[in-house]
Amino acid sequence: GNSVTQMEGPVTLSEEAFLTINCTYTATGYPSLFWYVQYPGEGLQLLLKATKADDKGSNKGFEATYRKETTSFHLEKGSVQVSDSAVYFCALTYSGAGSYQLTFGKGTKLSVIP
Amino acid sequence: GAVVSQHPSRVICKSGTSVKIECRSLDFQATTMFWYRQFPKQSLMLMATSNEGSKATYEQGVEKDKFLINHASLTLSTLTVTSAHPEDSSFYICSASPSGTYEQYFGPGTRLTVT
């Protein structure tokens, strides 16, 4: 079956530090890959996505590249801010039985300190 | 665009009562809506997939008679937790997929507390 593995948190960084959150996946076929962000007490927001190999998703300074050869979709940001503190979820979707269900990783909590 | 709302955002109910949570797609039509449950510091657990006009498909281990899902229109799905117990206390999140796409847009979640 499909699965997503992302690095265990929590991750604590100082402001302006470089961020990497690793994500690898197992899936049949060619899934689409996503990063979602959840701020405290809120639902999930789509951060970025990539739909095919070598695609790079980017948004708000965050980037992730769909690497089929390593089945990875690592999230990076060059300089984090306090406002980036949140939980980040890697996810994939693969059409099955006519619907597109998301499979989530366990989430990585990021705390950015001034 | 692609805004999903949930109501209420927080609800406290007594054990044994039922509570209904609404999920609405505000600016698009959603053939498919999903209901998730999130435990503290954990990932989202898919409870069921709801298709407009048909019965919901429940994930293994989710009691369909306890968690009633209705998707009567292309913009509204409801989750009713029947005979709620304290162990049902959780954060419930819905998502909606615009018709013809695979993307999911999430609601802000509903915090249910059963006393």
Side-chain angles (χ1 to χ4, degrees), chain B residues 9-69:
Chain B
S9 57
R10 288 179 177 271
V11 58
I12 300 173
C13 70
K14 292 187 176 181
S15 187
T17 62
S18 296
V19 61
K20 180 185 286 187
I21 303 170
E22 293 186 348
C23 177
R24 293 181 184 273
S25 56
L26 299 184
D27 51 3
F28 64 95
Q29 294 186 329
T31 307
T32 305
M33 290 184 170
F34 302 85
W35 286 96
Y36 297 86
R37 184 172 178 177
Q38 186 179 31
F39 294 96
K41 300 182 180 180
Q42 294 190 26
S43 189
L44 280 72
M45 180 192 78
L46 179 65
M47 299 174 66
T49 303
S50 164
N51 290 298
E52 186 265 339
S54 62
K55 291 183 178 180
T57 302
Y58 290 82
E59 296 300 301
Q60 192 172 11
V62 178
E63 299 176 61
K64 62 181 180 180
D65 294 331
K66 180 170 185 60
F67 298 99
L68 301 179
I69 291 173

Side-chain angles (χ1 to χ4, degrees), chain B residues 37 39-40 85-92 111-115:
Chain B
R37 184 172 178 177
F39 294 96
H85 290 285
E87 56 265 31
D88 299 324
S89 299
S90 193
F91 195 52
Y92 293 87
R111 173 74 60 190
L112 170 64
T113 303
V114 184
T115 60

Side-chain angles (χ1 to χ4, degrees), chain A residues 2-4 23 25-36 46 48-53 55 66 72-73 90-95 100-104, chain B residues 101-104:
Chain A
N2 299 333
S3 68
V4 175
C23 171
Y25 67 90
T26 301
T28 54
Y30 302 94
S32 293
L33 302 174
F34 304 83
W35 277 100
Y36 284 87
L46 177 64
L48 52 84
K49 66 179 181 181
T51 59
K52 61 183 186 295
D55 267 3
Y66 189 145
S72 65
F73 193 55
C90 185
L92 67 82
T93 191
Y94 186 68
S95 173
Y100 294 89
Q101 293 187 355
L102 278 168
T103 299
F104 286 93
Chain B
T101 77
Y102 57 83
E103 296 189 9
Q104 292 186 33

